[in-house]
Amino acid sequence: MKCMNCGAELTESAYCPNCGCDVSVQKQAIVLSGIYYNQGLEKAQVRDLSGAIDQLKRSLKFNKMNIPARNLLGLVYFETGEVVAALSEWVISKNIQPEDNIATEYIENLHKDANRLDLINQTIKKYNIALKNCLDGNEDVAMIQLKKILAQNPKLVKAYHLLALLYIDKKQYEKARKLLKKAIRIDKTNTTTLRFLKEVDEQTGTATVLEPKFSLWGGRRSDTGQEGAENVQTGSMQPAYRAPRARFSALNIIIGALIGAAAVWFLFIPARTSSINRTANEKVTRYSSDMASYSAQIQNLNKRVEEAEKTSSTASAQVTTANTRATSYEGLISAMNSYQQGSTDQAASSLSEVDPDQLSSDTRAIFDSLSSQLGSQLLPIYKQAGLSAFQSRDYKTAATKLELAHKIDDQDYDIMNYLAHSYRLMGDSANADKIFELIISTFPGTSKAEDAAKYLSSNATTTTDSAEEASLTLSTADSLAESTASS
């Protein structure tokens, strides 16, 4: 243990041998951290994950450098489906102790299965979307999403809770009980799970059985446990031969039942076989006639399922559009606040993330006004973003960013040239020809105008070209992007 003041090794004394600082409180905090860690470990071993999380958090409050407690907290988070929280704890642990830390192995194992990690992260995002759908009143869409989430991440306790709550709201108590029993297997003392189970029990009038009460050889578990408890209290033990006698009695019963079954088989089954076959044939004939009507019903249900999936897809698209629009408004507000505080660079950075097409007419006017005032800061950002998108062959984004840059500086040849080619490679020959004509009029009698005229004439017969046929090679785009960034 090291002194928190000077970093010297401490002794059994309550004072630091180097700086003389009173370290009694520090030692007491570390001892308490160890106690809470041990309690959290005990709870985790019996799958009391909620209690383990609470104790481990307390341990880290007293000593944030407690590496075993932090690693164990990450494991408990991982077991409840909270992979992002688990990874955060392990990354912190690795930064505190880079060497001889098992958190490194945990992180490497996650990264080895990158697809699984990405899938789990997507389920957490989908859970947030499902929660928003519930708040918006779209319970049916949320239930479909939660079922898919649990199929991909069966340890996400929060998803069990939300789906069970929706079932309770729709008075489908048995489905809710089934989900909650799965959740209780993951975290045995989760208060939310127990509260929901209590509500289901009260509504149905049936108590939920979480563990089997009977076993084949030992009778009722509760009786056996009570008997063992009484034996320990009285200090007496049952004779050793009684357990074997019970087993032999059960074995004799089983053997007698087998002999009786064999007698029934040889005496009565042959006579019953023909009757059973005749009855089975009649049922097959009847079932065959029923299958035709069932097939029609199934087709009708499949059509309804397809319509429900289309509705779900439409709702998801609307949510995505709303999120994009909200992000643009947030970026515009952030840019205005930064500009009012005098931080023009931060304002320009925030404004560059705004998609003006998502803004209303009033807010678009604010965006245009702010863009004109921050033109010198925004120009290199838009230009670099457009060139990078062009290099990545994302011509739609390149055209959007370069168009914004062109509105700021309409004399920059590089901006106009890449903007024209972005439109051309998108298949938008009208806008491409418009920019090529602008290059010819802006730089008359130059090689730039001649190149634009060549593409202008080629667009008269061909509306689209592949990215490989463009005369602006990616290496040229790379060098131009580097020169723009350095300037």
Side-chain angles (χ1 to χ4, degrees):
M1 185 185 306
K2 294 183 179 181
C3 176
M4 62 182 178
N5 185 40
C6 65
E9 290 291 338
L10 298 178
T11 62
E12 295 181 358
S13 174
Y15 297 92
C16 175
N18 183 41
C19 64
C21 179
D22 186 357
V23 294
S24 58
V25 176
Q26 177 186 351
K27 289 184 176 181
Q28 185 178 4
I30 292 176
V31 170
L32 288 174
S33 177
I35 292 173
Y36 284 126
Y37 164 71
N38 291 333
Q39 294 176 356
L41 179 59
E42 292 176 357
K43 290 180 179 294
Q45 288 173 341
V46 296
R47 297 200 69 82
D48 180 5
L49 302 185
S50 299
I53 290 174
D54 182 58
Q55 296 298 324
L56 292 171
K57 284 183 176 180
R58 292 183 181 182
S59 175
L60 292 175
K61 284 183 179 180
F62 283 101
N63 181 16
K64 67 179 180 181
M65 308 295 287
N66 192 337
I67 299 301
R70 195 172 293 279
N71 291 342
L72 180 58
L73 181 58
L75 287 174
V76 176
Y77 276 138
F78 184 83
E79 190 63 20
T80 58
E82 300 287 346
V83 179
V84 177
L87 191 59
S88 300
E89 296 297 334
W90 292 335
V91 169
I92 295 173
S93 174
K94 183 179 179 182
N95 289 333
I96 295 174
Q97 181 180 320
E99 301 296 334
D100 298 330
N101 193 339
I102 197 173
T104 304
E105 182 179 349
Y106 296 155
I107 296 172
E108 290 177 354
N109 290 337
L110 277 179
H111 288 167
K112 286 180 182 178
D113 194 358
N115 293 332
R116 178 62 179 169
L117 178 60
D118 181 66
L119 179 63
I120 295 175
N121 288 337
Q122 291 298 324
T123 59
I124 296 174
K125 294 179 181 178
K126 291 178 181 178
Y127 169 80
N128 293 330
I129 295 175
L131 180 60
K132 185 177 185 302
N133 285 331
C134 290
L135 297 176
D136 294 340
N138 300 323
E139 290 87 355
D140 294 335
V141 176
M143 292 176 69
I144 295 173
Q145 293 174 333
L146 289 169
K147 290 178 181 178
K148 293 181 179 179
I149 290 169
L150 290 175
Q152 296 171 346
N153 187 2
K155 291 185 177 182
L156 190 57
V157 177
K158 293 180 180 178
Y160 284 111
H161 291 165
L162 184 56
L163 185 54
L165 188 61
L166 291 174
Y167 279 136
I168 292 173
D169 182 63
K170 293 182 178 293
K171 302 186 183 304
Q172 299 178 10
Y173 299 113
E174 293 305 322
K175 291 184 178 180
R177 191 199 306 273
K178 184 178 180 180
L179 284 173
L180 293 171
K181 290 176 71 174
K182 291 181 179 179
I184 208 70
R185 295 190 193 106
I186 300 173
D187 186 358
K188 289 188 176 181
T189 60
N190 188 287
T191 55
T192 302
T193 306
L194 296 175
R195 187 169 67 251
F196 287 177
L197 276 174
K198 181 179 179 182
E199 178 65 22
V200 171
D201 293 346
E202 291 178 353
Q203 294 296 330
T204 60
T206 304
T208 302
V209 179
L210 300 178
E211 295 182 358
K213 296 183 178 179
F214 295 89
S215 63
L216 179 61
W217 299 103
R220 290 181 60 90
R221 288 191 175 185
S222 58
D223 295 343
T224 304
Q226 182 65 28
E227 183 181 3
E230 293 174 355
N231 290 337
V232 172
Q233 292 174 358
T234 59
S236 64
M237 294 293 293
Q238 294 293 338
Y241 61 86
R242 291 193 62 181
R245 179 185 295 177
R247 293 193 182 94
F248 285 130
S249 299
L251 183 60
N252 290 333
I253 293 173
I254 293 174
I255 292 173
L258 292 175
I259 294 173
V264 171
W265 176 268
F266 288 108
L267 294 177
F268 299 102
I269 293 301
R272 293 282 298 168
T273 301
S274 59
S275 176
I276 292 173
N277 290 336
R278 183 173 57 257
T279 303
N281 291 332
E282 293 175 356
K283 290 182 178 180
V284 168
T285 302
R286 185 171 65 255
Y287 292 155
S288 298
S289 62
D290 293 339
M291 285 300 295
S293 61
Y294 291 155
S295 298
Q297 294 178 10
I298 291 172
Q299 292 178 356
N300 187 22
L301 292 175
N302 287 334
K303 291 181 180 179
R304 294 183 180 180
V305 170
E306 292 177 357
E307 292 175 356
E309 290 178 348
K310 291 180 180 178
T311 303
S312 176
S313 300
T314 303
S316 299
Q318 292 175 353
V319 169
T320 301
T321 302
N323 289 337
T324 303
R325 182 169 299 173
T327 301
S328 297
Y329 277 99
E330 289 174 358
L332 181 60
I333 293 172
S334 177
M336 292 176 62
N337 291 335
S338 299
Y339 182 78
Q340 292 174 355
Q341 295 173 5
S343 179
T344 56
D345 292 338
Q346 181 63 36
S349 177
S350 299
L351 198 64
S352 65
E353 301 297 329
V354 176
D355 184 359
D357 294 335
Q358 300 295 331
L359 303 176
S360 63
S361 58
D362 295 336
T363 52
R364 180 61 184 266
I366 297 174
F367 172 83
D368 293 338
S369 175
L370 198 56
S371 297
S372 63
Q373 298 179 37
L374 297 173
S376 59
Q377 287 91 346
L378 285 172
L379 178 60
I381 297 176
Y382 285 143
K383 183 175 180 181
Q384 182 61 40
L387 296 179
S388 299
F390 189 90
Q391 288 178 305
S392 302
R393 302 186 182 184
D394 184 2
Y395 303 117
K396 182 178 180 180
T397 302
T400 300
K401 297 298 183 181
L402 292 172
E403 184 66 41
L404 293 171
H406 180 62
K407 289 181 179 180
I408 299 173
D409 185 358
D410 58 358
Q411 300 296 316
D412 191 313
Y413 169 71
D414 294 332
I415 293 175
M416 289 190 291
N417 194 23
Y418 276 97
L419 178 59
H421 283 290
S422 296
Y423 281 131
R424 182 176 66 84
L425 295 173
M426 288 168 56
D428 190 352
S429 58
N431 282 321
D433 292 346
K434 179 180 177 181
I435 302 301
F436 282 132
E437 291 173 355
L438 184 59
I439 294 174
I440 295 172
S441 62
T442 305
F443 306 99
T446 63
S447 59
K448 300 175 181 179
E450 294 176 358
D451 292 339
K454 292 178 182 178
Y455 281 105
L456 189 61
S457 61
S458 66
N459 280 344
T461 57
T462 304
T463 59
T464 61
D465 288 323
S466 64
E468 291 79 5
E469 294 173 347
S471 64
L472 283 178
T473 62
L474 293 178
S475 60
T476 305
D478 290 336
S479 60
L480 181 56
E482 292 175 358
S483 64
T484 303
S486 62
S487 62

PDB file of all heavy atoms in Angstrom, residues 165-190:
ATOM      1  N   LEU A 165     -43.704  -6.401 -18.771  1.00  0.00           N
ATOM      2  CA  LEU A 165     -44.605  -5.311 -18.395  1.00  0.00           C
ATOM      3  C   LEU A 165     -45.662  -5.080 -19.471  1.00  0.00           C
ATOM      4  O   LEU A 165     -46.829  -4.823 -19.158  1.00  0.00           O
ATOM      5  CB  LEU A 165     -43.783  -4.039 -18.164  1.00  0.00           C
ATOM      6  CG  LEU A 165     -44.533  -2.838 -17.589  1.00  0.00           C
ATOM      7  CD1 LEU A 165     -45.110  -3.179 -16.221  1.00  0.00           C
ATOM      8  CD2 LEU A 165     -43.605  -1.630 -17.480  1.00  0.00           C
ATOM      9  N   LEU A 166     -45.271  -5.197 -20.743  1.00  0.00           N
ATOM     10  CA  LEU A 166     -46.248  -5.046 -21.826  1.00  0.00           C
ATOM     11  C   LEU A 166     -47.272  -6.177 -21.790  1.00  0.00           C
ATOM     12  O   LEU A 166     -48.472  -5.962 -22.025  1.00  0.00           O
ATOM     13  CB  LEU A 166     -45.519  -5.017 -23.171  1.00  0.00           C
ATOM     14  CG  LEU A 166     -44.657  -3.776 -23.428  1.00  0.00           C
ATOM     15  CD1 LEU A 166     -43.879  -3.937 -24.723  1.00  0.00           C
ATOM     16  CD2 LEU A 166     -45.503  -2.522 -23.480  1.00  0.00           C
ATOM     17  N   TYR A 167     -46.804  -7.407 -21.507  1.00  0.00           N
ATOM     18  CA  TYR A 167     -47.744  -8.524 -21.394  1.00  0.00           C
ATOM     19  C   TYR A 167     -48.716  -8.314 -20.224  1.00  0.00           C
ATOM     20  O   TYR A 167     -49.914  -8.618 -20.327  1.00  0.00           O
ATOM     21  CB  TYR A 167     -46.983  -9.832 -21.201  1.00  0.00           C
ATOM     22  CG  TYR A 167     -46.451 -10.435 -22.477  1.00  0.00           C
ATOM     23  CD1 TYR A 167     -45.158 -10.950 -22.554  1.00  0.00           C
ATOM     24  CD2 TYR A 167     -47.247 -10.507 -23.624  1.00  0.00           C
ATOM     25  CE1 TYR A 167     -44.669 -11.516 -23.727  1.00  0.00           C
ATOM     26  CE2 TYR A 167     -46.768 -11.063 -24.794  1.00  0.00           C
ATOM     27  CZ  TYR A 167     -45.479 -11.567 -24.839  1.00  0.00           C
ATOM     28  OH  TYR A 167     -45.003 -12.118 -26.000  1.00  0.00           O
ATOM     29  N   ILE A 168     -48.199  -7.812 -19.109  1.00  0.00           N
ATOM     30  CA  ILE A 168     -49.074  -7.547 -17.957  1.00  0.00           C
ATOM     31  C   ILE A 168     -50.110  -6.489 -18.319  1.00  0.00           C
ATOM     32  O   ILE A 168     -51.290  -6.588 -17.957  1.00  0.00           O
ATOM     33  CB  ILE A 168     -48.227  -7.102 -16.745  1.00  0.00           C
ATOM     34  CG1 ILE A 168     -47.368  -8.264 -16.239  1.00  0.00           C
ATOM     35  CG2 ILE A 168     -49.116  -6.587 -15.620  1.00  0.00           C
ATOM     36  CD1 ILE A 168     -46.386  -7.875 -15.152  1.00  0.00           C
ATOM     37  N   ASP A 169     -49.694  -5.460 -19.056  1.00  0.00           N
ATOM     38  CA  ASP A 169     -50.618  -4.414 -19.465  1.00  0.00           C
ATOM     39  C   ASP A 169     -51.716  -4.965 -20.366  1.00  0.00           C
ATOM     40  O   ASP A 169     -52.855  -4.502 -20.312  1.00  0.00           O
ATOM     41  CB  ASP A 169     -49.842  -3.297 -20.183  1.00  0.00           C
ATOM     42  CG  ASP A 169     -50.743  -2.152 -20.586  1.00  0.00           C
ATOM     43  OD1 ASP A 169     -51.321  -1.510 -19.687  1.00  0.00           O
ATOM     44  OD2 ASP A 169     -50.882  -1.895 -21.790  1.00  0.00           O
ATOM     45  N   LYS A 170     -51.375  -5.991 -21.175  1.00  0.00           N
ATOM     46  CA  LYS A 170     -52.368  -6.605 -22.060  1.00  0.00           C
ATOM     47  C   LYS A 170     -53.067  -7.789 -21.389  1.00  0.00           C
ATOM     48  O   LYS A 170     -53.788  -8.538 -22.047  1.00  0.00           O
ATOM     49  CB  LYS A 170     -51.688  -7.064 -23.354  1.00  0.00           C
ATOM     50  CG  LYS A 170     -51.183  -5.917 -24.203  1.00  0.00           C
ATOM     51  CD  LYS A 170     -50.555  -6.428 -25.494  1.00  0.00           C
ATOM     52  CE  LYS A 170     -50.088  -5.254 -26.361  1.00  0.00           C
ATOM     53  NZ  LYS A 170     -51.210  -4.465 -26.843  1.00  0.00           N
ATOM     54  N   LYS A 171     -52.814  -7.981 -20.060  1.00  0.00           N
ATOM     55  CA  LYS A 171     -53.447  -9.039 -19.268  1.00  0.00           C
ATOM     56  C   LYS A 171     -53.075 -10.436 -19.750  1.00  0.00           C
ATOM     57  O   LYS A 171     -53.829 -11.399 -19.562  1.00  0.00           O
ATOM     58  CB  LYS A 171     -54.970  -8.861 -19.244  1.00  0.00           C
ATOM     59  CG  LYS A 171     -55.432  -7.517 -18.694  1.00  0.00           C
ATOM     60  CD  LYS A 171     -56.932  -7.453 -18.546  1.00  0.00           C
ATOM     61  CE  LYS A 171     -57.383  -6.072 -18.072  1.00  0.00           C
ATOM     62  NZ  LYS A 171     -56.730  -5.660 -16.823  1.00  0.00           N
ATOM     63  N   GLN A 172     -51.922 -10.567 -20.384  1.00  0.00           N
ATOM     64  CA  GLN A 172     -51.397 -11.883 -20.773  1.00  0.00           C
ATOM     65  C   GLN A 172     -50.402 -12.323 -19.692  1.00  0.00           C
ATOM     66  O   GLN A 172     -49.187 -12.328 -19.874  1.00  0.00           O
ATOM     67  CB  GLN A 172     -50.739 -11.813 -22.150  1.00  0.00           C
ATOM     68  CG  GLN A 172     -51.702 -11.399 -23.244  1.00  0.00           C
ATOM     69  CD  GLN A 172     -51.037 -11.291 -24.602  1.00  0.00           C
ATOM     70  OE1 GLN A 172     -49.890 -11.695 -24.790  1.00  0.00           O
ATOM     71  NE2 GLN A 172     -51.754 -10.740 -25.570  1.00  0.00           N
ATOM     72  N   TYR A 173     -50.963 -12.713 -18.554  1.00  0.00           N
ATOM     73  CA  TYR A 173     -50.147 -12.911 -17.365  1.00  0.00           C
ATOM     74  C   TYR A 173     -49.242 -14.139 -17.468  1.00  0.00           C
ATOM     75  O   TYR A 173     -48.130 -14.126 -16.933  1.00  0.00           O
ATOM     76  CB  TYR A 173     -51.054 -13.023 -16.132  1.00  0.00           C
ATOM     77  CG  TYR A 173     -51.877 -11.785 -15.899  1.00  0.00           C
ATOM     78  CD1 TYR A 173     -53.262 -11.798 -16.035  1.00  0.00           C
ATOM     79  CD2 TYR A 173     -51.267 -10.582 -15.560  1.00  0.00           C
ATOM     80  CE1 TYR A 173     -54.017 -10.657 -15.827  1.00  0.00           C
ATOM     81  CE2 TYR A 173     -52.015  -9.432 -15.349  1.00  0.00           C
ATOM     82  CZ  TYR A 173     -53.395  -9.478 -15.487  1.00  0.00           C
ATOM     83  OH  TYR A 173     -54.137  -8.345 -15.280  1.00  0.00           O
ATOM     84  N   GLU A 174     -49.689 -15.201 -18.110  1.00  0.00           N
ATOM     85  CA  GLU A 174     -48.866 -16.404 -18.185  1.00  0.00           C
ATOM     86  C   GLU A 174     -47.615 -16.172 -19.042  1.00  0.00           C
ATOM     87  O   GLU A 174     -46.547 -16.681 -18.736  1.00  0.00           O
ATOM     88  CB  GLU A 174     -49.680 -17.576 -18.735  1.00  0.00           C
ATOM     89  CG  GLU A 174     -50.788 -18.039 -17.798  1.00  0.00           C
ATOM     90  CD  GLU A 174     -50.244 -18.385 -16.416  1.00  0.00           C
ATOM     91  OE1 GLU A 174     -49.141 -18.950 -16.324  1.00  0.00           O
ATOM     92  OE2 GLU A 174     -50.929 -18.077 -15.414  1.00  0.00           O
ATOM     93  N   LYS A 175     -47.765 -15.410 -20.116  1.00  0.00           N
ATOM     94  CA  LYS A 175     -46.595 -15.071 -20.925  1.00  0.00           C
ATOM     95  C   LYS A 175     -45.622 -14.210 -20.122  1.00  0.00           C
ATOM     96  O   LYS A 175     -44.399 -14.386 -20.200  1.00  0.00           O
ATOM     97  CB  LYS A 175     -47.027 -14.345 -22.198  1.00  0.00           C
ATOM     98  CG  LYS A 175     -47.772 -15.225 -23.180  1.00  0.00           C
ATOM     99  CD  LYS A 175     -48.078 -14.462 -24.463  1.00  0.00           C
ATOM    100  CE  LYS A 175     -48.778 -15.357 -25.474  1.00  0.00           C
ATOM    101  NZ  LYS A 175     -49.087 -14.641 -26.736  1.00  0.00           N
ATOM    102  N   ALA A 176     -46.172 -13.284 -19.345  1.00  0.00           N
ATOM    103  CA  ALA A 176     -45.310 -12.452 -18.500  1.00  0.00           C
ATOM    104  C   ALA A 176     -44.597 -13.300 -17.457  1.00  0.00           C
ATOM    105  O   ALA A 176     -43.403 -13.119 -17.186  1.00  0.00           O
ATOM    106  CB  ALA A 176     -46.145 -11.358 -17.824  1.00  0.00           C
ATOM    107  N   ARG A 177     -45.320 -14.264 -16.849  1.00  0.00           N
ATOM    108  CA  ARG A 177     -44.718 -15.132 -15.835  1.00  0.00           C
ATOM    109  C   ARG A 177     -43.564 -15.946 -16.432  1.00  0.00           C
ATOM    110  O   ARG A 177     -42.507 -16.104 -15.821  1.00  0.00           O
ATOM    111  CB  ARG A 177     -45.783 -16.075 -15.269  1.00  0.00           C
ATOM    112  CG  ARG A 177     -45.325 -16.829 -14.011  1.00  0.00           C
ATOM    113  CD  ARG A 177     -46.210 -18.042 -13.778  1.00  0.00           C
ATOM    114  NE  ARG A 177     -47.626 -17.729 -13.730  1.00  0.00           N
ATOM    115  CZ  ARG A 177     -48.275 -17.351 -12.641  1.00  0.00           C
ATOM    116  NH1 ARG A 177     -47.623 -17.228 -11.493  1.00  0.00           N
ATOM    117  NH2 ARG A 177     -49.572 -17.097 -12.681  1.00  0.00           N
ATOM    118  N   LYS A 178     -43.749 -16.446 -17.654  1.00  0.00           N
ATOM    119  CA  LYS A 178     -42.707 -17.232 -18.308  1.00  0.00           C
ATOM    120  C   LYS A 178     -41.446 -16.408 -18.541  1.00  0.00           C
ATOM    121  O   LYS A 178     -40.313 -16.875 -18.311  1.00  0.00           O
ATOM    122  CB  LYS A 178     -43.249 -17.771 -19.643  1.00  0.00           C
ATOM    123  CG  LYS A 178     -42.285 -18.685 -20.369  1.00  0.00           C
ATOM    124  CD  LYS A 178     -42.923 -19.217 -21.646  1.00  0.00           C
ATOM    125  CE  LYS A 178     -41.968 -20.135 -22.393  1.00  0.00           C
ATOM    126  NZ  LYS A 178     -42.570 -20.653 -23.645  1.00  0.00           N
ATOM    127  N   LEU A 179     -41.616 -15.163 -18.987  1.00  0.00           N
ATOM    128  CA  LEU A 179     -40.458 -14.288 -19.209  1.00  0.00           C
ATOM    129  C   LEU A 179     -39.752 -13.962 -17.899  1.00  0.00           C
ATOM    130  O   LEU A 179     -38.520 -13.954 -17.814  1.00  0.00           O
ATOM    131  CB  LEU A 179     -40.912 -12.992 -19.891  1.00  0.00           C
ATOM    132  CG  LEU A 179     -41.240 -13.080 -21.378  1.00  0.00           C
ATOM    133  CD1 LEU A 179     -41.828 -11.765 -21.847  1.00  0.00           C
ATOM    134  CD2 LEU A 179     -39.988 -13.399 -22.183  1.00  0.00           C
ATOM    135  N   LEU A 180     -40.529 -13.676 -16.859  1.00  0.00           N
ATOM    136  CA  LEU A 180     -39.942 -13.295 -15.579  1.00  0.00           C
ATOM    137  C   LEU A 180     -39.197 -14.458 -14.937  1.00  0.00           C
ATOM    138  O   LEU A 180     -38.197 -14.261 -14.245  1.00  0.00           O
ATOM    139  CB  LEU A 180     -41.032 -12.776 -14.642  1.00  0.00           C
ATOM    140  CG  LEU A 180     -41.678 -11.451 -15.087  1.00  0.00           C
ATOM    141  CD1 LEU A 180     -42.889 -11.136 -14.231  1.00  0.00           C
ATOM    142  CD2 LEU A 180     -40.667 -10.309 -15.033  1.00  0.00           C
ATOM    143  N   LYS A 181     -39.655 -15.695 -15.168  1.00  0.00           N
ATOM    144  CA  LYS A 181     -38.928 -16.854 -14.656  1.00  0.00           C
ATOM    145  C   LYS A 181     -37.584 -17.005 -15.356  1.00  0.00           C
ATOM    146  O   LYS A 181     -36.593 -17.421 -14.747  1.00  0.00           O
ATOM    147  CB  LYS A 181     -39.784 -18.116 -14.832  1.00  0.00           C
ATOM    148  CG  LYS A 181     -41.000 -18.150 -13.915  1.00  0.00           C
ATOM    149  CD  LYS A 181     -41.882 -19.349 -14.177  1.00  0.00           C
ATOM    150  CE  LYS A 181     -41.234 -20.642 -13.725  1.00  0.00           C
ATOM    151  NZ  LYS A 181     -42.157 -21.784 -13.843  1.00  0.00           N
ATOM    152  N   LYS A 182     -37.520 -16.655 -16.642  1.00  0.00           N
ATOM    153  CA  LYS A 182     -36.234 -16.660 -17.329  1.00  0.00           C
ATOM    154  C   LYS A 182     -35.315 -15.587 -16.763  1.00  0.00           C
ATOM    155  O   LYS A 182     -34.105 -15.796 -16.603  1.00  0.00           O
ATOM    156  CB  LYS A 182     -36.436 -16.430 -18.830  1.00  0.00           C
ATOM    157  CG  LYS A 182     -37.109 -17.584 -19.547  1.00  0.00           C
ATOM    158  CD  LYS A 182     -37.243 -17.294 -21.039  1.00  0.00           C
ATOM    159  CE  LYS A 182     -37.898 -18.457 -21.768  1.00  0.00           C
ATOM    160  NZ  LYS A 182     -38.055 -18.178 -23.221  1.00  0.00           N
ATOM    161  N   ALA A 183     -35.880 -14.413 -16.461  1.00  0.00           N
ATOM    162  CA  ALA A 183     -35.066 -13.329 -15.900  1.00  0.00           C
ATOM    163  C   ALA A 183     -34.544 -13.680 -14.515  1.00  0.00           C
ATOM    164  O   ALA A 183     -33.418 -13.334 -14.166  1.00  0.00           O
ATOM    165  CB  ALA A 183     -35.886 -12.035 -15.855  1.00  0.00           C
ATOM    166  N   ILE A 184     -35.358 -14.394 -13.725  1.00  0.00           N
ATOM    167  CA  ILE A 184     -34.940 -14.724 -12.360  1.00  0.00           C
ATOM    168  C   ILE A 184     -33.827 -15.755 -12.367  1.00  0.00           C
ATOM    169  O   ILE A 184     -33.046 -15.861 -11.415  1.00  0.00           O
ATOM    170  CB  ILE A 184     -36.147 -15.231 -11.535  1.00  0.00           C
ATOM    171  CG1 ILE A 184     -35.939 -14.921 -10.038  1.00  0.00           C
ATOM    172  CG2 ILE A 184     -36.367 -16.701 -11.739  1.00  0.00           C
ATOM    173  CD1 ILE A 184     -36.015 -13.482  -9.681  1.00  0.00           C
ATOM    174  N   ARG A 185     -33.733 -16.562 -13.438  1.00  0.00           N
ATOM    175  CA  ARG A 185     -32.608 -17.492 -13.538  1.00  0.00           C
ATOM    176  C   ARG A 185     -31.295 -16.752 -13.755  1.00  0.00           C
ATOM    177  O   ARG A 185     -30.234 -17.246 -13.375  1.00  0.00           O
ATOM    178  CB  ARG A 185     -32.844 -18.476 -14.681  1.00  0.00           C
ATOM    179  CG  ARG A 185     -34.024 -19.403 -14.468  1.00  0.00           C
ATOM    180  CD  ARG A 185     -34.055 -20.497 -15.501  1.00  0.00           C
ATOM    181  NE  ARG A 185     -35.327 -21.203 -15.510  1.00  0.00           N
ATOM    182  CZ  ARG A 185     -36.254 -21.064 -16.438  1.00  0.00           C
ATOM    183  NH1 ARG A 185     -36.029 -20.253 -17.457  1.00  0.00           N
ATOM    184  NH2 ARG A 185     -37.389 -21.726 -16.376  1.00  0.00           N
ATOM    185  N   ILE A 186     -31.350 -15.582 -14.392  1.00  0.00           N
ATOM    186  CA  ILE A 186     -30.138 -14.792 -14.614  1.00  0.00           C
ATOM    187  C   ILE A 186     -29.746 -14.032 -13.355  1.00  0.00           C
ATOM    188  O   ILE A 186     -28.580 -14.024 -12.950  1.00  0.00           O
ATOM    189  CB  ILE A 186     -30.356 -13.816 -15.795  1.00  0.00           C
ATOM    190  CG1 ILE A 186     -30.685 -14.596 -17.077  1.00  0.00           C
ATOM    191  CG2 ILE A 186     -29.127 -12.943 -16.004  1.00  0.00           C
ATOM    192  CD1 ILE A 186     -31.081 -13.715 -18.238  1.00  0.00           C
ATOM    193  N   ASP A 187     -30.715 -13.372 -12.733  1.00  0.00           N
ATOM    194  CA  ASP A 187     -30.469 -12.577 -11.518  1.00  0.00           C
ATOM    195  C   ASP A 187     -31.545 -12.937 -10.501  1.00  0.00           C
ATOM    196  O   ASP A 187     -32.693 -12.511 -10.609  1.00  0.00           O
ATOM    197  CB  ASP A 187     -30.508 -11.080 -11.863  1.00  0.00           C
ATOM    198  CG  ASP A 187     -30.107 -10.210 -10.683  1.00  0.00           C
ATOM    199  OD1 ASP A 187     -29.832 -10.765  -9.607  1.00  0.00           O
ATOM    200  OD2 ASP A 187     -30.059  -8.976 -10.841  1.00  0.00           O
ATOM    201  N   LYS A 188     -31.162 -13.755  -9.493  1.00  0.00           N
ATOM    202  CA  LYS A 188     -32.151 -14.366  -8.605  1.00  0.00           C
ATOM    203  C   LYS A 188     -32.846 -13.376  -7.682  1.00  0.00           C
ATOM    204  O   LYS A 188     -33.933 -13.640  -7.190  1.00  0.00           O
ATOM    205  CB  LYS A 188     -31.484 -15.459  -7.762  1.00  0.00           C
ATOM    206  CG  LYS A 188     -31.101 -16.687  -8.565  1.00  0.00           C
ATOM    207  CD  LYS A 188     -30.627 -17.799  -7.660  1.00  0.00           C
ATOM    208  CE  LYS A 188     -30.343 -19.073  -8.457  1.00  0.00           C
ATOM    209  NZ  LYS A 188     -29.903 -20.183  -7.576  1.00  0.00           N
ATOM    210  N   THR A 189     -32.216 -12.230  -7.391  1.00  0.00           N
ATOM    211  CA  THR A 189     -32.804 -11.307  -6.419  1.00  0.00           C
ATOM    212  C   THR A 189     -33.095  -9.938  -7.011  1.00  0.00           C
ATOM    213  O   THR A 189     -33.143  -8.949  -6.284  1.00  0.00           O
ATOM    214  CB  THR A 189     -31.869 -11.150  -5.201  1.00  0.00           C
ATOM    215  OG1 THR A 189     -30.611 -10.636  -5.660  1.00  0.00           O
ATOM    216  CG2 THR A 189     -31.638 -12.465  -4.509  1.00  0.00           C
ATOM    217  N   ASN A 190     -33.280  -9.881  -8.299  1.00  0.00           N
ATOM    218  CA  ASN A 190     -33.582  -8.598  -8.930  1.00  0.00           C
ATOM    219  C   ASN A 190     -34.944  -8.102  -8.434  1.00  0.00           C
ATOM    220  O   ASN A 190     -35.964  -8.777  -8.600  1.00  0.00           O
ATOM    221  CB  ASN A 190     -33.594  -8.751 -10.451  1.00  0.00           C
ATOM    222  CG  ASN A 190     -33.699  -7.423 -11.155  1.00  0.00           C
ATOM    223  OD1 ASN A 190     -34.735  -6.790 -11.173  1.00  0.00           O
ATOM    224  ND2 ASN A 190     -32.594  -6.981 -11.737  1.00  0.00           N
TER     225      ASN A 190
END
